[in-house]
Amino acid sequence: MPALDNPAANSSDRTDFRESMHRKHEDRNKSTLVGFTDDDPPSSSRRSNHHPRVLDHYSLPTPSSTVRFRSAHVHVYDSQGSQLIMEERLTTRNTAQGKASSLSLHENWEQTNTTANVTVKRVINSSPELLFLRGIYSAIAFFKGAFLFIFAVGLLLFLISDLANQAKVIIFNGTGDNKDLAFPLIGTILSIPVFLHGLTQLMTLITSFVTDVFAGSPLFNSFGCGVVLTNWIKFTFFIGIPALTFVGLLLSGSQDFHSITLITTFVSVTFLFFCFSVGVVCLRVSSCLYLVKELYEREDMTTTERLKYTILTAEESTLSGKVHKNYVYDSNVYDLKRLDSNSMIGGGNDKALYLYSSHGQRYIKFTQLMPRGLFTTLDLPMRCWTQAEIDFNIPFYTKTSWSLESVFCRIKNESHIALVSGPSALTTQQSFSSMVCYFFGVVFYILLVTGLMVFAQVSATVIAAVVCLFVAYWLWQGRKEYRMIKHANTILRRLQSDGNDNADGSDDNEDDYDSALFQKWETFMVTKPTPAFAWFSFIVKNIIIAMIPLSYFCYSRNLVGAMTYLVLFLLCFEKHYFDIGPIVEALGSFGTLGMEPGTSLAHSGLLGAATRNEWQQKSRLYHITRMNNNASRRIWS
């Protein structure tokens, strides 16, 4: 009997699976140092090896190429028309003469007094002709995106107009019989969420398609057709078919060569975009079906069971009561995932400097007040790993990367690392300027909203109430920013004091690294829905959002509207129920995706991929997953 046939058993088994994996994860990282395991001790107790292993992280768009060149190990990273070259060269010091010389690659690696020097440089490897050709590709894809944007805006305007007309007829209908008008009005209202989210997903896909084309199609090249075949397909649909159409029309003497060529180009790029979208959807779904086996630790799952468990996991993640805590750590005491696994035990995190913000408690209290049988409160809050914790791909705020508007415009729900001491640390002038810019930005926001309400002739009472709410909100936000700067100054004074106490007059500054504040979100599941309630919610939502509006379009004989709504609904369904996020937040990694059978995941994948196949599959999934959380998604939302 499948586990889903018994909801109670399913809930208990699933909780046991996740807790078991959580314990394994903690045991694996319990005594782990960065780059080494218990079976791989630090270099002080190992055989000397002057060439450390360089692993490609799956956040890279393309893997590195390694070559030996002029007595150096060279790693080449391609990125949008340029190459980042990392040269690792061994040098040996002549103690008698005090001179450093380069070691030949054919010399003995076990020599003493040998150091590895790494030089990083950037090289432009694209020509103006190649940039022009990529510009043509991107321009064609951009105009395709512009057409879809116009289509989306027109569709939403038509939806709003239809809703307004139906409301007008109901309000001013003199007969008093509104039975025939109620169903169209309800169907139109219920279709709005799907149209909004579906068009957002569609615009996110076309934006990712345009940026991928301009970058040389690293994501498109990873879909499995091979780099050579994929580039020939791109050339054929972007240049080949439109060019042959254009030349053929000129030779035939057609007077409509320009319009026919544009239509042909549009159809050609539409087909390519369709293939790109289908590839993204298929890879996302297949990855979910693969990783759900690891989540439940069942290798004998059928395809039907995988689909059920994937949908159930997504629905439970949506309904679960989660608390989100934003802690600030000192980077000197934070080591990968070891210090935050028990943050909820005892009601706080003693390893963090302080709690920056927290939210989610109100919904948790609401779920705990619901009738029994709908939600269960976990005995111990369950860790839900965020994307930043899974791949440890977090931006650094340094003196050189600082800009005046960076603090005010930063993404509030993402983790970041700010350097507070050392040569690359943010200066006092930069911190003060950011706070002043933050203040002027808040004032501008308040004045802008006030001016718009005055222009719309809103009453003075409403204006005063709105302004008071804005002032209270921004004072709350400003207090948190002030606390951040205050703790940064405290750490800086402590480091300066430690430096003065430990000064020994040594000129060796190789270990003097910058210190930083590490701001990180941590999520914990406190309550979760029962499987029966999760399936009930899934069925009710799809009846309300899918069946009723689709029935209205069919009832009104609007075949085009029905087909459009069905496509957008499928996009929303795939994005919500086949999102890899709920699965990897329970696993804490991308699992054994791309790894050989029988191999184990070292360091939870934080240090990179061990093989080329593992890197290819995890990098492809990483960049597909980022579509749901990148800048284009936030803009279109």
Side-chain angles (χ1 to χ4, degrees), residues 158-172:
F158 173 78
L159 185 66
I160 295 173
S161 175
D162 186 34
L163 183 62
N165 289 333
Q166 292 177 12
K168 180 180 178 181
V169 171
I170 292 177
I171 294 174
F172 296 100

Side-chain angles (χ1 to χ4, degrees), residues 462-478:
V462 176
I463 294 177
V466 172
V467 169
C468 291
L469 289 176
F470 267 84
V471 171
Y473 172 77
W474 288 112
L475 285 176
W476 175 61
Q477 291 287 343

Side-chain angles (χ1 to χ4, degrees), residues 169-180:
V169 171
I170 292 177
I171 294 174
F172 296 100
N173 185 15
T175 61
D177 186 10
N178 296 325
K179 294 181 179 179
D180 295 336

